[in-house]
Amino acid sequence: MQAIRVHQFGEPEVMKLETLPDPTPGPGEVLIRVKAAGVNPVDTYIRAGSYGKLPMPYTPGLDAAGTVEAAGVGVKVFKAGDRVYMSGTLTGAYAEKALCKVEQVHRLPDKVTFAQGAGMNVPYATAYRSLFQKAQAKGGEVVLVHGASGGVGVAAVQIARAAGLIVIGTAGSDRGLALVKEQGAHHVLDHRKPDYLAQVIGLSDGRGVDVVLEMLANVNLGKDLTIMAPGGRVVVIGSRGSVEVSPRELMVRDVTVLGMVLFNATPSETASIHAALVAGLENGTLRPVTGRELPLAEAPQAHKAVMEAGAYGKIVLIP
Ligand code: NAP
């Protein structure tokens, strides 16, 4: 099979397409023929070496969708040909085939494309965990999805809207703002404008927001704390540096700041997340948006694109 391989950390060009033997599924494992692989910002951090040591060489990618090629001994729930998406893999998603543990494999309904399925795992699981397992969001509350035009943001807007929250989403391009509105945000704001957060208080009937899902905390956390309702919760999902905050803003409204990394979810939390996500795909609540498809060999271009401004849903690689 063909797979992207990384032999040393570095710039996107360290990713090369190579030919490898097909993996064989062992007991409790499933081999997936990848039809589309999702590109996440975390893939670029890992490739650059910021996530620490990794056995080299490796194949990048945590997210993909495709069909079951073969199931190992003891796997009863999947058979060859089943449509599936994965939540992590043993061998890497940027490849024609990927080996998974059976618990990393989830059914993909017929009406969902493989490119959409490739956008499920990290973005939707992050959005779901942040909203419900971390912020304990409830219907009727106001959520600010601070960075709503990318993978996690689109997922969060769809999930929050379906759960009955009032959704305010931000983006930094006109195309992104239109996308966030189409995905169900009640209100959209442009995070390029200097005074955009001043409008949040008015949009939340003067109370402020109950929940912030923050994609760029190093830029926004200090400002987020000034627009919170009493008892508000900020979930820090993304951050690319440090930030100054005024602790007094936390105190006066009993605000909680919650850190969250998807990799810290326990196996039972992960199983619960994907049970909910599969149900959301089945009933049409969840509709992953694919902004761009690139051939597998263009993984370096995909890594550059995912870090650029002007996000529009997901970037996926097609083997
Ligand atoms: P993405 O698809 O690249 O989207 C990035 C989002 O951030 C876009 O909506 C972008 O908007 C927005 N953004 C840019 N400047 C902003 C600003 N000043 N204020 C608010 N938002 C701004 O990335 P993603 O997959 O959605 O992930 C978002 C972040 O969360 C990344 O940093 C990623 O590493 C992190 N993440 C963390 C976890 C975790 O487990 N903690 C899981 C998944 C992702 P425009 O491009 O329209 O300006």
Side-chain angles (χ1 to χ4, degrees):
M1 68 169 185
Q2 299 243 284
I4 294 289
R5 298 294 272 173
V6 173
H7 291 262
Q8 58 184 55
F9 294 129
E11 296 299 313
E13 288 70 24
V14 298
M15 294 187 289
K16 307 275 187 216
L17 195 62
E18 295 179 8
T19 303
L20 297 177
D22 283 4
T24 310
E29 295 175 352
V30 179
L31 183 64
I32 293 171
R33 177 172 286 275
V34 174
K35 305 280 190 175
V39 176
N40 290 294
V42 69
D43 303 343
T44 75
Y45 316 148
I46 295 170
R47 185 217 70 235
S50 11
Y51 264 55
K53 289 200 170 137
L54 214 66
M56 292 282 178
Y58 79 96
T59 295
L62 304 161
D63 297 3
T67 52
V68 171
E69 182 85 356
V73 172
V75 174
K76 304 236 184 305
V77 281
F78 295 108
K79 59 176 187 331
D82 285 350
R83 302 175 90 254
V84 293
Y85 76 88
M86 67 176 68
S87 56
T89 141
L90 298 167
T91 53
Y94 294 10
E96 287 178 326
K97 292 179 189 168
L99 197 60
C100 296
K101 292 187 276 185
V102 66
E103 57 269 27
Q104 294 174 314
V105 183
H106 314 280
R107 255 173 225 295
L108 190 70
D110 288 345
K111 62 186 170 192
V112 184
T113 67
F114 291 118
Q116 288 182 301
M120 281 306 293
N121 175 40
V122 167
Y124 278 83
T126 298
Y128 184 93
R129 177 164 172 77
S130 300
L131 271 170
F132 302 124
Q133 294 182 343
K134 290 290 173 182
Q136 311 279 324
K138 294 172 211 57
E141 289 193 315
V142 180
V143 60
L144 173 68
V145 182
H146 213 165
S149 48
V152 179
V154 164
V157 168
Q158 293 175 357
I159 295 170
R161 178 70 196 243
L165 282 95
I166 309 296
V167 182
I168 306 170
T170 79
S173 70
D174 293 341
R175 196 164 95 101
L177 287 163
L179 173 69
V180 176
K181 187 86 181 143
E182 274 162 32
Q183 298 314 309
H186 294 85
H187 309 286
V188 291
L189 297 172
D190 185 341
H191 52 233
R192 290 169 305 187
K193 300 250 165 79
D195 58 344
Y196 71 101
L197 283 179
Q199 296 174 55
V200 167
I201 300 294
L203 295 175
S204 55
D205 287 337
R207 283 182 63 247
V209 299
D210 301 290
V211 175
V212 174
L213 301 188
E214 183 51 67
M215 306 304 156
L216 202 54
N218 56 300
V219 173
N220 296 323
L221 186 59
K223 293 179 279 176
D224 289 339
L225 300 183
T226 67
I227 53 152
M228 302 306 294
R233 292 87 71 203
V234 182
V235 185
V236 175
I237 297 174
S239 187
R240 294 178 180 167
S242 45
V243 60
E244 191 174 308
V245 300
S246 165
R248 186 132 200 100
E249 298 286 355
L250 293 166
M251 293 157 62
V252 290
R253 286 180 294 280
D254 274 18
V255 169
T256 307
V257 178
L258 298 146
M260 117 90 202
V261 165
L262 185 60
F263 300 140
N264 291 339
T266 64
S268 73
E269 287 171 333
T270 302
S272 164
I273 291 168
H274 288 282
L277 296 184
V278 171
L281 286 174
E282 283 167 354
N283 68 26
T285 302
L286 306 185
R287 307 162 310 277
V289 173
T290 310
R292 203 162 160 198
E293 293 185 13
L294 291 168
L296 185 59
E298 291 182 24
Q301 288 89 319
H303 273 210
K304 289 176 194 160
V306 79
M307 297 305 279
E308 283 166 4
Y312 190 91
K314 288 297 301 177
I315 298 170
V316 301
L317 294 169
I318 309 294

